[in-house]
Amino acid sequence: MPALPWYLRIFWLALFSLLAGLANAQAILEGERHHPVPGNHGMVATSHPHATAVALEVLRNGGNAVDAAVTAGFALAVTQPRSGNIGGGGFMLYAPGNGGAVKAIDYRETAPASATETMYQNEDGEVVPERSRFTHLASGVPGTVAGFALALEEYGTITLAEALAPAIALARDGFEVPHRFTEGLEQARERLTRWPATRATFYNQDGAPPRPGDRFRQPELAATLQRIADHGIADFYEGETAHLIVAEMERGGGLITLDDLAGYQPVMREPVRGTYRGHEIFSMSPPSSGGAHIVQILNILEDYPIGDYGHNSAQTIHLMAEAMKRAYADRSEYLGDTDYVEVPLDGITSKDYADALRQEIDPDKATPSNNIGPGNPTPYESNETTHFSIVDRWGNAVSNTYTINFSYGSGITVEGAGFLLNNEMDDFSAKPGVTNAYGLIGGEANKIESGKRMLSSMSPTIVRRDGQNYLVTGSPGGSRIITTTLQVLMNVIDHGMNIQSAVEAPRIHHQWLPDEIRIEQGISPDTIDLLESMGHTVKTRSAMGAIQSVLIDADGRRWGAADPRRSTSTAQGY
């Protein structure tokens, strides 16, 4: 048989490559290459195997999702000090398995009483970023301990001491250091070792971090956790630990006082609720901007046949980016702590407002960000770092995101107490119109005020289908938390992916300013060319988020998905 002409050989090779690519994509969608973790009774997905293991043990022993969540949260404070914490704060969503009302616990940090609007500005009114990030002035009053205690009191079945026991053992007896632990301390060495207590807590005498495989013990943190177990949250907010925090503040010129600590209270809030293609979306309400803008973006996209356009096609990414721009523009103007400012939440999450914003979107051409400003949601008014997701045998679900802001927070360890302080004050607007460390612009609604909670992007989210808990998800990632969480929802609902494929798929992000679509590796070069031809600037950057998720299928099976972007992420079920 004679050889085929060169042009036919190229044709058949191209056709074969196309068919192979389609088959590979179909395999991903059908779960032939990606295998979520199954469990018939309970499922835990966290960013560290020790936290996953101790939480799963709580479920096996008859505890519920809240019991397991608090246990995991305290364990992460020991095993993952770069983000797990008792020196920070966050948000928890709880959805009963019987279809009852979804509840939200806000344990976000608060500004000290003596905080002022201009505290991070110099004499000329210019912002000094270092002050709100790497000094004792950077820390808000921590909320994690009080928030976890409230969750147990309202919805748990075990005591605070029982929830703390695994974390105390991990701190006292130590745990084997994974590569990521060493790598993080190595990368942050210069910033962290400037503080004697941090150096003594996390580094060897020669200044090197513990190596992979070493056993790492934290006796001061173990003692702190034991005091909380013995005396309750009063120790942290009024007792010995409180005095250690205040002594650290006085040593470094910080603002947190005993009165600030004693006056801290977590808050029960109503979650943001929206709908998307027959699903109910529940996410965190202000002072998180996450829930409001996830619902807003979904509302804008709902009128487009996203599933027909295809996952990460140029058309899909274009429309997502245009919707994201408009949501982040609104974030800069309207979002803040609702105990201090009036947030037009009903307008932002309104379908009618989404319709109005959709009319501004050209389906074939990017709108420059400098032509987009905050919209006007008011006429449409009617009268949510590390994340873990847990579902128990009764179908109760917890979605929890908490943080100390930067990796290792301010870098300052409370001497004698063994834990890092947050630098969440950087999430306030140091000056209206000036960006924070994540490039987010804030306005008057998020200005610094005494006792106020700073704006957040944390977006713990629970989706219900036919009135039943269906998907539990959330992520770290600063300004990219909102879009990371959004894309997992869309991957499941619009594109029919199994939960592991939905978590692993390449992500995109647009936050209005800077005017660029940030993408992960894995987006087709042809797609990038098409987006650029539409007028978008596209930048390939590092991985976004580390989203831990659980999905409950129609048969009641729990499917856990751990995000491979974080090497210690683990999902386990039973």
Side-chain angles (χ1 to χ4, degrees):
M1 183 176 176
L4 290 172
W6 65 269
Y7 52 88
L8 286 179
R9 291 200 303 272
I10 293 176
F11 170 80
W12 285 112
L13 180 60
L15 181 61
F16 176 82
S17 298
L18 174 62
L19 292 174
L22 291 173
N24 181 59
Q26 185 65 26
I28 291 174
L29 293 177
E30 295 176 356
E32 294 173 7
R33 294 175 60 239
H34 297 241
H35 301 287
V37 177
N40 292 325
H41 304 294
M43 179 60 62
V44 178
T46 84
S47 55
H48 198 282
H50 283 303
T52 298
V54 298
L56 191 66
E57 188 64 19
V58 169
L59 296 183
R60 289 182 187 275
N61 292 335
N64 67 19
V66 172
D67 301 327
V70 174
T71 302
F74 281 127
L76 285 167
V78 176
T79 58
Q80 194 169 286
R82 66 197 296 165
S83 53
N85 72 83
I86 59 172
F91 304 107
M92 180 184 290
L93 248 59
Y94 168 66
N98 61 8
V102 179
K103 301 296 183 181
I105 299 177
D106 169 3
Y107 59 97
R108 182 70 159 153
E109 303 91 333
T110 57
S114 58
T116 64
E117 183 178 354
T118 59
M119 62 186 287
Y120 300 124
Q121 299 175 28
N122 63 21
E123 298 79 4
D124 298 323
E126 298 171 338
V127 173
V128 184
E130 181 85 5
R131 291 183 190 171
S132 65
R133 299 172 188 177
F134 305 122
T135 72
H136 288 71
L137 291 171
S139 297
V141 181
T144 294
V145 174
F148 283 174
L150 178 61
L152 284 180
E153 180 182 330
E154 293 289 329
Y155 309 113
T157 67
I158 65 175
T159 66
L160 183 62
E162 289 173 316
L164 279 160
I168 293 170
L170 285 165
R172 181 191 62 231
D173 302 332
F175 59 93
E176 190 173 296
V177 168
H179 174 76
R180 182 171 182 269
F181 190 94
T182 302
E183 182 181 54
L185 289 173
E186 188 65 63
Q187 292 171 348
R189 187 202 308 231
E190 183 178 353
R191 176 165 69 91
L192 298 183
T193 54
R194 61 185 285 201
W195 306 106
T198 304
R199 179 186 173 107
T201 299
F202 296 106
Y203 294 85
N204 299 325
Q205 288 186 349
D206 62 359
R211 309 311 303 170
D214 289 352
R215 182 159 290 274
F216 180 67
R217 296 178 175 86
Q218 300 166 85
E220 288 186 346
L221 179 57
T224 296
L225 297 174
Q226 188 64 61
R227 287 194 301 271
I228 299 170
D230 293 341
H231 305 294
I233 66 171
D235 170 75
F236 191 89
Y237 291 98
E238 299 176 63
E240 183 175 345
T241 303
H243 282 82
L244 289 171
I245 294 171
V246 172
E248 185 62 48
M249 287 289 114
E250 292 173 347
R251 196 160 32 245
L255 299 182
I256 298 173
T257 66
L258 286 173
D259 286 342
D260 289 324
L261 289 163
Y264 181 85
Q265 292 291 331
V267 180
M268 299 293 300
R269 299 196 188 274
E270 289 298 314
V272 170
R273 178 190 174 278
T275 61
Y276 185 66
R277 307 196 196 283
H279 299 74
E280 284 186 289
I281 314 295
F282 295 91
S283 194
M284 194 62 212
S285 49
S288 172
S289 62
H293 294 311
I294 285 173
V295 169
Q296 180 183 18
I297 295 168
L298 289 174
N299 284 344
I300 294 171
L301 295 174
E302 190 170 30
D303 205 44
Y304 298 109
I306 297 295
D308 293 341
Y309 292 151
H311 176 255
N312 278 348
S313 69
Q315 188 66 51
T316 295
I317 293 175
H318 166 67
L319 294 172
M320 290 169 63
E322 292 298 300
M324 290 171 183
K325 289 179 194 177
R326 287 157 174 83
Y328 278 85
D330 282 351
R331 184 189 190 279
S332 73
E333 178 76 13
Y334 298 113
L335 270 290
D337 183 348
T338 49
D339 294 338
Y340 285 72
V341 296
E342 186 172 341
V343 177
L345 194 58
D346 289 345
I348 288 170
T349 59
S350 160
K351 299 281 190 185
D352 289 337
Y353 181 48
D355 289 342
L357 293 177
R358 194 183 306 111
Q359 301 309 310
E360 302 174 1
I361 296 175
D362 185 326
D364 302 312
K365 186 177 180 181
T367 306
S369 288
N370 58 15
N371 291 344
I372 297 173
N376 185 14
T378 307
Y380 303 95
E381 284 278 353
S382 58
N383 291 322
E384 145 118 337
T385 317
T386 188
H387 179 86
F388 47 89
S389 297
I390 298 176
V391 176
D392 63 27
R393 69 180 68 182
W394 301 282
N396 302 314
V398 169
S399 179
N400 187 93
T401 312
Y402 72 156
T403 186
I404 48 176
N405 199 20
F406 287 13
S407 186
Y408 307 103
S410 65
I412 300 167
T413 296
V414 177
E415 187 174 320
F419 63 87
L420 287 157
L421 290 167
N422 69 81
N423 59 349
E424 291 294 352
M425 294 293 286
D426 188 64
D427 278 354
F428 279 119
S429 299
K431 183 178 181 180
V434 176
T435 60
N436 69 2
Y438 297 101
L440 292 170
I441 292 178
E444 288 288 328
N446 190 39
K447 69 181 181 182
I448 302 169
E449 296 181 73
S450 170
K452 187 178 183 179
R453 286 167 159 84
M454 60 289 293
L455 189 58
S456 172
S457 295
M458 290 185 280
S459 309
T461 299
I462 295 174
V463 178
R464 280 179 167 171
R465 186 171 66 178
D466 300 325
Q468 298 300 308
N469 292 338
Y470 174 56
L471 176 59
V472 188
T473 193
S475 180
S479 62
R480 299 173 295 281
I481 290 174
I482 296 169
T483 52
T484 294
T485 306
L486 170 86
Q487 285 166 89
V488 168
L489 301 185
M490 294 178 66
N491 289 347
V492 171
I493 296 171
D494 286 307
H495 304 298
M497 293 184 184
N498 71 54
I499 189 61
Q500 187 66 50
S501 297
V503 164
E504 292 187 3
R507 295 172 187 150
I508 69 105
H509 171 76
H510 204 305
Q511 63 181 50
W512 179 47
L513 296 172
D515 191 357
E516 65 180 37
I517 300 177
R518 172 175 174 163
I519 64 170
E520 294 181 329
Q521 292 182 350
I523 305 296
S524 163
D526 291 340
T527 298
I528 295 172
D529 288 344
L530 286 170
L531 289 167
E532 290 176 340
S533 73
M534 293 178 176
H536 292 287
T537 298
V538 182
K539 300 287 187 182
T540 302
R541 300 192 185 276
S542 58
M544 292 180 265
I547 196 160
Q548 316 300 338
S549 304
V550 177
L551 184 143
I552 307 173
D553 67 19
D555 297 322
R557 288 173 297 184
R558 289 89 164 110
W559 298 93
D563 197 328
R565 292 166 180 81
R566 180 163 290 177
S567 61
T568 52
S569 295
T570 313
Q572 292 182 13
Y574 78 103

